[in-house]
Amino acid sequence: MPSRNIPSVRLRRIGSALRRAGSALRRAREDCGMTIETASRRYGRSKGWLSTLENGLHSIDRQELADLLDFYGVPDGPLRESLLHLATHDPGKNWERIREGRISAAALDLASLEEDAELIRAFQPCLIPGLLQVPEYTRALIAVGSPSTRRHCRALVDFRMRRQRVLNRADPPRYAAVIGEAALRYHVGDAAVMNAQMRRLANAARSEAIEIRILPEAAGAYLWLAGPFDLFRLRPPGRLSVTVVEQFSKSVFVDDEAEVAEHEEIFAKLLAVSLDRGLSLELIERIASTP
């Protein structure tokens, strides 16, 4: 079991979300023109307390977090709801997020993990992973969703494209994806959309920082092992890991060590029976060139 001195995934995520997201604590403090010294003096807590909170290194109860959000003027909305939800639940437990037709708490949770990760491993049996999608592909997926999802199409597409910037930043996480061969053959949108998507996938497969492995149809028996999931190994402190399992209407965030280890074992098995990097790229290019 992890040391009690190492923050849980949930506490890490509170800190990371507070550091980065639009109007969260650190940015809200800076937007108010307050240094950490000024904010701590006016709020009545020590500079060290506020600093460790912004870095996700200690917990805060729901009421005090709500007071701090009010102090910085963070309005009602998905971000505030997401942060308060994190403060409500005990550390070290798995949690669920309903996926909604907007930039929901689930989406914010996922983006927070992507930003904090040093290693991302993705398994997608039937679709191209979100971090590798072109806008037209994402838009075509949303077009067959619920009316609520379609109403927020532009915001959802923009949000997914912004998430992809994590792979292009100066210190990107390592990224490895196992993608079912079916995902290359299923048509999402029209031929032009699929052509653009295959070009994007091929370019990603040529990158040294991104590992694309195709699970061939011949290895289809392995698909029963799991549905789509993502594995995140977070940057220090702690090098914590978490799995995000995609279900029909919700995402399940798993930080139980035994369950995460099971998903790591499954990913290793899928990787072992997938085509190597060179053959994966050849298959992508061959399917892309098929009329």
Side-chain angles (χ1 to χ4, degrees):
M1 296 297 292
S3 165
R4 291 182 180 274
N5 294 323
I6 298 174
S8 73
V9 170
R10 178 170 289 101
L11 301 186
R12 283 283 307 278
R13 291 177 54 259
I14 292 174
S16 63
L18 296 181
R19 290 197 305 272
R20 293 187 311 274
S23 57
L25 291 185
R26 178 173 292 183
R27 182 170 297 178
R29 169 175 61 77
E30 293 170 349
D31 288 346
C32 291
M34 286 188 287
T35 64
I36 196 167
E37 292 83 1
T38 300
S40 61
R41 185 174 65 253
R42 293 182 183 177
Y43 188 68
R45 297 297 296 266
S46 71
K47 174 185 173 183
W49 178 88
L50 188 55
S51 176
T52 54
L53 177 63
E54 289 184 352
N55 285 286
L57 298 178
H58 69 70
S59 61
I60 183 171
D61 65 41
R62 182 185 177 93
Q63 186 55 58
E64 183 152 39
L65 178 58
D67 290 344
L68 198 52
L69 293 172
D70 289 340
F71 176 69
Y72 286 134
V74 177
D76 290 337
L79 174 60
R80 186 183 180 99
E81 185 274 332
S82 180
L83 297 173
L84 292 175
H85 177 93
L86 292 174
T88 300
H89 291 71
D90 291 335
K93 303 295 184 183
N94 302 338
W95 68 101
E96 296 181 355
R97 288 297 211 196
I98 302 299
R99 293 199 297 271
E100 302 166 311
R102 59 183 175 89
I103 301 174
S104 61
L108 290 170
D109 284 1
L110 184 62
S112 176
L113 289 171
E114 290 166 347
E115 288 285 342
D116 267 358
E118 65 176 11
L119 172 63
I120 302 173
R121 288 164 287 180
F123 172 55
Q124 275 289 350
C126 299
L127 295 173
I128 305 303
L131 290 181
L132 301 175
Q133 292 175 8
V134 295
E136 296 82 3
Y137 187 96
T138 304
R139 194 172 295 113
L141 290 175
I142 294 171
V144 299
S146 67
S148 175
T149 300
R150 295 197 297 271
R151 282 197 299 273
H152 296 87
C153 181
R154 177 177 294 181
L156 291 169
V157 173
D158 289 347
F159 184 71
R160 182 162 297 181
M161 296 304 108
R162 289 199 301 273
R163 281 173 45 208
Q164 294 181 2
R165 296 175 186 171
V166 72
L167 298 180
N168 297 314
R169 70 188 187 193
D171 59 338
R174 290 183 291 128
Y175 183 82
V178 173
I179 304 171
E181 183 176 343
L184 309 183
R185 301 187 185 278
Y186 287 153
H187 274 226
V188 174
D190 58 22
V193 170
M194 289 306 300
N195 286 339
Q197 182 59 71
M198 289 300 99
R199 289 195 301 272
R200 168 76 172 90
L201 193 60
N203 287 336
R206 296 186 189 101
S207 169
E208 292 185 3
I210 297 175
E211 181 178 4
I212 306 296
R213 303 284 291 276
I214 303 302
L215 183 70
E217 292 175 342
Y222 285 82
L223 293 173
W224 77 271
L225 290 174
F229 67 88
D230 295 292
L231 277 164
F232 298 91
R233 189 169 71 204
L234 305 185
R235 297 173 187 271
R239 295 188 182 276
L240 302 167
S241 296
V242 61
T243 302
V244 181
V245 181
E246 296 182 24
Q247 299 181 359
F248 173 68
S249 61
K250 65 186 177 184
S251 296
V252 180
F253 294 76
V254 178
D255 61 4
D256 176 80
E257 284 189 343
E259 292 184 66
V260 171
E262 287 181 1
H263 281 94
E264 290 180 328
E265 183 178 349
I266 289 170
F267 190 85
K269 288 182 178 179
L270 293 168
L271 202 61
V273 296
S274 295
L275 301 177
D276 65 25
R277 296 183 67 161
L279 291 176
S280 294
L281 177 56
E282 288 180 16
L283 179 59
I284 294 168
E285 291 177 330
R286 184 164 67 250
I287 293 176
S289 64
T290 301

